[in-house]
Amino acid sequence: MPDSEDRKNDAPKRPPLRVGFLISGSGRTLHDLLDDVDNGLIDLDVRLVLASTPNASGLQHAEFRGIPAEVLERTGFLDGGDYSRAIFGLCRDNDVQIVVMAGFSVHLMIPEDFQHRVISSHPALAPAFTDRTLYGRRIHEAVLARGVKVSGCTIFFVDQSHNRGPVILQKAVPVSVDDTVEHLESRILYEERLALREALQLLAEDRIRVEGRRVRTVPSASGTLQA
């Protein structure tokens, strides 16, 4: 009789998570995650890259790898609802399971069939420092000005609120008295990449359950539970 390890190895491999990326700039997050795919660290199938501007240099990463890419500018649509419908229509056409907002600078209205299927990251411990006036380095400036001792990053499901959707996971980063915006940003960016990769792999393994405002991680096939 084959033992449990043999049965686990013989189990069919789950197909990669079909992902669409929304970008507005350099596409650094897209580039990093594609490297992680190449290195066997995450199971993703990037089906689509959508940019809010033709000036988004991240489109080059898609072109280099032969990933379908589109530019949809907000100015070309009557209102935010039409713009959102166009974006998610393309995601449906490309059979995207999870949408990653990677520095995408336009607010979207999430349709019902994409609830808990759109994720993003925030470079602080949400719900702290999630005011609409705070973005990019302004967040780290506010953290240092407030004198908090711990900051970090948050990976969350996007809903109609601003950076306050259900939290998938968070990583904490200590803040020192002598920190600069540049040093704090660098350390948080490093953790943010790891956190996003971890969250996407949990989704790829179908280990995420949303219960109201709370997100639960279920055990892996090996029986290991990760919080």
Side-chain angles (χ1 to χ4, degrees):
M1 291 287 290
D3 59 24
S4 59
E5 186 65 27
D6 290 333
R7 288 194 296 272
K8 182 175 71 174
N9 292 335
D10 290 340
K13 180 176 173 59
R14 187 183 296 276
L17 185 70
R18 302 185 303 276
V19 175
F21 277 84
L22 308 185
I23 65 173
S24 292
S26 68
R28 179 187 59 227
T29 298
L30 170 64
H31 175 269
D32 289 345
L33 285 170
L34 287 171
D35 279 351
D36 289 340
V37 172
D38 290 344
N39 292 324
L41 299 175
I42 188 170
D43 300 320
L44 297 185
D45 174 9
V46 181
R47 293 295 186 94
L48 177 68
V49 175
L50 282 172
S52 63
T53 169
N55 298 321
S57 57
L59 288 166
Q60 298 172 6
H61 304 313
E63 181 181 3
F64 178 75
R65 293 171 180 264
I67 299 169
E70 300 258 3
V71 175
L72 285 182
E73 296 185 84
R74 171 64 180 84
T75 55
F77 294 85
L78 180 64
D79 56 31
D82 282 347
Y83 185 62
S84 299
R85 282 187 286 274
I87 285 179
F88 288 105
L90 284 170
C91 290
R92 293 186 193 96
D93 291 345
N94 286 273
D95 201 20
V96 166
Q97 292 173 289
I98 295 292
V99 176
V100 181
M101 296 183 69
F104 193 71
S105 60
V106 184
H107 176 72
L108 294 179
M109 299 171 64
I110 312 300
E112 185 64 31
D113 61 326
F114 273 87
Q115 294 296 319
H116 304 145
R117 291 176 56 194
V118 183
I119 71 171
S120 188
S121 61
H122 179 66
L125 297 175
F129 302 100
T130 55
D131 187 275
R132 289 183 183 275
T133 63
L134 298 178
Y135 55 88
R137 289 193 169 186
R138 289 189 178 185
I139 295 172
H140 307 304
E141 290 171 355
V143 165
L144 294 178
R146 185 65 179 83
V148 300
K149 304 305 181 187
V150 178
S151 188
C153 60
T154 303
I155 311 299
F156 61 97
F157 286 111
V158 179
D159 59 15
Q160 309 307 340
S161 62
H162 182 72
N163 290 341
R164 295 195 177 196
V167 172
I168 301 171
L169 59 86
Q170 293 179 303
K171 301 286 186 181
V173 173
V175 180
S176 72
V177 175
D178 299 323
D179 249 326
T180 65
V181 169
E182 292 75 18
H183 289 160
L184 181 60
E185 179 183 46
S186 176
R187 299 201 308 280
I188 289 179
L189 277 173
Y190 175 78
E191 295 296 337
E192 201 170 5
R193 174 184 176 177
L194 299 181
L196 184 56
R197 183 176 76 196
E198 181 181 341
L200 283 168
Q201 187 60 27
L202 288 172
L203 288 163
E205 295 172 4
D206 192 27
R207 295 178 54 201
I208 294 294
R209 303 292 182 269
V210 183
E211 301 169 348
R213 297 289 301 176
R214 303 183 69 179
V215 176
R216 182 166 62 91
T217 303
V218 301
S220 67
S222 63
T224 302
L225 179 63
Q226 295 182 2

